[in-house]
Amino acid sequence: QVQLVESGGGLVQAGGSLRLSCAASGRTFSNHAMGWFRQAPGKEREFVAAISWSDVTYYTNSVKGRFSISRDNAKNTLYLQMSSLKPEDTAVYYCAAPGSANTPPQIMGAIRMAYWGQGTQVTVSS
C-alpha cells in the first residue's frame, strides 16, 4: 500500500523558513513526478510546486524565488524548502504524485493526482 507522509509544518513568523518533508513508502518514487499542493481555510486546494522524473522543477508564480522543491531518491523523500514566508502562505500542505511517472511538472496543477499525503499545517504569523 502506497503511503505519503508529510512532516515539518508548524508556526513561523513572517520572513521565516520551514522545510517540509514527504516520506514515501509502499513503492519507490525516484524517477517519478511529484508535487506539493496547499489548501488555505475557505479556499480550494492549489498547486504549489512540482518536480519531474528527471528533476526538472516548476512553481506557481506566487512562490517562485522563495520555495524550492527537491528530492532524495535514496530516502524516497520529497522536500519543500520554504523561505521568506508570508501570512498568505498559511495553509495545509500536501504532497502528491500522479499515476504516470513521466508527467511534465508544468501540468501537475491541472491533472488528477493518484496519491496524496494527509497534509501538514503551515501557519505564518504577521
Side-chain angles (χ1 to χ4, degrees):
Q1 182 178 357
V2 175
Q3 277 194 315
L4 300 176
V5 179
E6 301 95 335
S7 61
L11 174 63
V12 63
Q13 287 189 333
S17 299
L18 281 175
R19 188 177 80 156
L20 306 184
S21 299
C22 172
S25 61
R27 62 162 292 173
T28 180
F29 281 96
S30 58
N31 300 319
H32 192 116
M34 296 193 75
W36 288 96
F37 295 75
R38 66 186 179 187
Q39 187 168 19
K43 295 187 177 182
E44 293 188 354
R45 188 156 53 190
E46 66 173 354
F47 168 80
V48 175
I51 187 166
S52 75
W53 66 273
S54 59
D55 291 346
V56 173
T57 59
Y58 183 76
Y59 301 91
T60 192
N61 285 339
S62 63
V63 307
K64 282 182 181 177
R66 300 190 298 122
F67 290 12
S68 178
I69 187 171
S70 63
R71 68 203 308 163
D72 184 332
N73 289 332
K75 296 181 178 179
N76 211 21
T77 299
L78 180 72
Y79 301 102
L80 185 67
Q81 178 68 49
M82 306 186 294
S83 303
S84 302
L85 282 161
K86 304 175 181 180
E88 51 263 44
D89 294 318
T90 294
V92 178
Y93 283 72
Y94 301 88
C95 69
S100 174
N102 60 357
T103 299
Q106 296 89 337
I107 71 168
M108 288 275 285
I111 64 171
R112 182 183 297 273
M113 296 291 106
Y115 309 101
W116 288 97
Q118 85 290 346
T120 186
Q121 175 71 47
V122 172
T123 303
V124 184
S125 63
S126 58

